[in-house]
Amino acid sequence: MSEDNYVPKNILLTGGAGFIGSHVAILLCKKYPQYNIIVYDRLDYCSCLENLSELQDLPNFKFIKGDIATADLVTYALLEEKIDTIMHFAAQTHVDNSFGNSFAFTQSNIYGTHVLLESAKNCPSIRRFVHVSTDEVYGEGEDFNTDPMSEEHVLEPTNPYAATKAGAEFLVKSYFRSFKVPCLITRGNNVYGPHQYPEKLIPKFTNQLMRGKQLTLHGDGTNTRNFLYVTDVANAFDTILHKGQPGHVYNIGGDNEISNIGVARALLKIFGLEDQEEKYLSFVPDRKFNDLRYTINSSKLQKLGWKEEMPWEEGLQTTVEWYKKYTSRYGNIEQALVAHPRMLDPGSVVPEGIATNVGK
C-alpha cells in the first residue's frame, strides 16, 4: 500500500452475517490480521452465523447481535470497540419483498442508516463511513443502447427497495456535507455466489433444480442484469476502503450482462438438463414493475486498481457446487422458492447485545 492509502484499525461491519458482508468480513479478517473486525448483525431471515464460521478462532474477529436501528447499542459498540471505520452492509434488499412489505425497508434502509450516521457524527474516532448502495438507485436502462451510467447520473429509482436505498444515500451525503462525517458511497451490480439467501435468482433457481422443481421466470425472462461474483465484490470493497476518498461515489460493475432466461439455461446446462427446457421453464406473472436492465460505468473504481476476475461460467459452477453442499444451513427455504416470496421476519433467538467470537 502507498503512504496515501487509508489504514483502519477497528472496523464495524454491519450486516456481516449476510451475503456480501460475510465475504468482506472474511477477506479483511484473514488478509489484515492487524485490523479488528467487529460484525454487527441482527440475524434476520437472510443472514446466518454459519457464514462466519471460518472466523470463529481468529483473535481479530468479534460478533455483536444487534439492530442498526437501536441507537444506544450502536453508540455503545462504536465507543466500546474504539471504532474508526464503519462499513454499512445491513439492509433489506429483496425487491419482491419491497412490493409487499415496504415499511420494513424504510425502517431498515433509511431509519437504520440515519441512526448509524447520527451515532458516527457523535463519535470523534470515526475516520471512514462506507455506505453500501445499489445500481438500482439509477433506475431502468430503457433499452440496450443506453450508455452505462456514471456516478453523476440522476437517481430515478422505480421500486420501494431502490427508493429506500436512494433515500439513505441522500442522508449519507447530507451528513458528509453538514457534519463532515467522512462518508463514501458504493453502487453495485447484482452479486452472486456462496452465502446468498435462496430468494435471489441464482440460488433460487439452483435450489429449485436440486428439488426437481420448475424455474419460475418473471414475465418473459428477457430482463437482464450484470452479475458479479462475490469475491470480486469483496476485493472491490478492499480497494475502496483503502483507496477511496470521502465524498465520492464508486460504481462496482462487471461485464456479465445476462437475461434471466439466459441464467436459467446456463443452470440447466450445469445440471445436465439443457434438453428439457419445456419441462423446467415456467413463466409466471411479472413484478409490479421490473426494470429492463441496469448498466453502470466502473472506470472510476478501475482507476484505483480493481478489476473483475471471476469468469461467469466458473463462478456459476462454483456457486452451484456450494449450494449442493451447504443449502441446509438456511433451514426450511420452501417459502423462498415460490414465484413471488415474502420473507420479512427477523425471527432471531439470540438476545440483542451479545458479543462473541462465533462458536465459542
Side-chain angles (χ1 to χ4, degrees):
M1 290 187 189
S2 72
E3 293 182 359
D4 295 329
N5 286 345
Y6 173 67
V7 179
K9 184 176 181 181
N10 300 313
I11 301 172
L12 186 77
L13 201 156
T14 72
F19 173 37
I20 303 173
S22 64
H23 283 275
V24 175
I26 290 166
L27 172 66
L28 295 178
C29 271
K30 292 185 173 182
K31 185 175 180 180
Y32 305 103
Q34 70 273 30
Y35 299 173
N36 294 311
I37 310 300
I38 296 89
V39 167
Y40 185 101
D41 198 298
R42 77 178 190 180
L43 297 180
D44 210 341
Y45 75 92
C46 54
S47 58
C48 178
L49 280 176
E50 289 182 71
N51 289 339
L52 300 167
S53 60
E54 61 191 278
L55 302 181
Q56 65 183 27
D57 294 321
L58 296 184
N60 63 330
F61 170 73
K62 181 182 286 187
F63 176 80
I64 297 176
K65 165 66 171 69
D67 192 326
I68 56 171
T70 305
D72 290 347
L73 183 57
V74 169
T75 299
Y76 176 81
L78 294 179
L79 297 175
E80 183 70 14
E81 302 297 336
K82 299 180 174 59
I83 298 299
D84 54 44
T85 304
I86 296 172
M87 301 185 76
H88 178 32
F89 291 86
Q92 293 290 344
T93 65
H94 192 43
V95 176
D96 269 343
N97 282 341
S98 79
F99 286 121
N101 302 280
S102 56
F103 291 156
F105 283 69
T106 301
Q107 174 71 10
S108 293
N109 299 352
I110 295 181
Y111 181 72
T113 299
H114 198 170
V115 169
L116 276 177
L117 288 164
E118 187 66 17
S119 298
K121 181 195 76 173
N122 295 322
C123 184
S125 63
I126 296 298
R127 297 170 58 212
R128 283 292 187 280
F129 188 115
V130 179
H131 177 70
V132 182
S133 191
T134 170
D135 60 359
E136 293 202 34
V137 298
Y138 291 124
E140 182 180 44
E142 295 181 359
D143 56 49
F144 289 94
N145 297 314
T146 303
D147 290 333
M149 299 175 186
S150 66
E151 288 84 355
E152 292 75 31
H153 195 279
V154 174
L155 304 190
E156 297 181 296
T158 61
N159 61 65
Y161 157 62
T164 61
K165 293 299 286 185
E169 282 199 29
F170 285 116
L171 280 168
V172 172
K173 290 180 178 181
S174 74
Y175 271 71
F176 172 75
R177 290 169 179 153
S178 293
F179 305 114
K180 312 305 178 189
V181 177
C183 300
L184 300 76
I185 294 172
T186 71
R187 298 177 185 146
N189 278 159
N190 280 40
V191 185
Y192 74 102
H195 299 185
Q196 189 171 35
Y197 189 75
E199 66 190 354
K200 299 295 178 74
L201 184 73
I202 290 175
K204 180 175 182 172
F205 281 4
T206 298
N207 278 275
Q208 285 174 333
L209 288 175
M210 286 165 56
R211 290 159 173 76
K213 296 176 180 287
Q214 290 185 311
L215 304 182
T216 50
L217 284 155
H218 292 176
D220 61 7
T222 59
N223 301 73
T224 71
R225 297 293 184 265
N226 256 300
F227 291 94
L228 264 176
Y229 191 69
V230 68
T231 55
D232 282 335
V233 176
N235 288 331
F237 280 102
D238 183 8
T239 300
I240 291 165
L241 171 64
H242 293 100
K243 298 181 179 181
Q245 295 298 314
H248 285 247
V249 179
Y250 297 92
N251 285 339
I252 306 174
D255 294 320
N256 301 310
E257 184 172 6
I258 301 168
S259 67
N260 290 346
I261 197 168
V263 173
R265 286 169 173 157
L267 288 167
L268 285 172
K269 184 176 180 180
I270 289 174
F271 279 83
L273 301 170
E274 61 267 40
D275 59 346
Q276 299 186 53
E277 281 192 20
E278 289 188 6
K279 177 180 177 180
Y280 282 100
L281 297 187
S282 173
F283 296 90
V284 301
D286 208 346
R287 292 169 171 170
K288 297 293 184 183
F289 184 84
N290 197 347
D291 292 319
L292 175 65
R293 67 193 293 251
Y294 306 111
T295 174
I296 58 177
N297 182 330
S298 299
S299 59
K300 185 175 179 180
L301 174 58
Q302 291 165 358
K303 288 176 182 177
L304 297 182
W306 175 84
K307 64 179 180 179
E308 181 181 11
E309 295 182 348
M310 177 64 82
W312 164 246
E313 293 80 7
E314 181 183 346
L316 194 62
Q317 181 72 52
T318 302
T319 301
V320 169
E321 294 305 316
W322 188 87
Y323 282 99
K324 286 180 177 179
K325 293 180 181 178
Y326 298 111
T327 290
S328 60
R329 72 172 46 177
Y330 298 109
N332 186 346
I333 60 169
E334 292 303 315
Q335 182 57 35
L337 302 183
V338 302
H340 296 281
R342 296 286 184 267
M343 296 287 294
L344 280 176
D345 179 11
S348 174
V349 297
V350 182
E352 189 169 78
I354 294 239
T356 179
N357 284 50
V358 175
K360 289 188 175 180

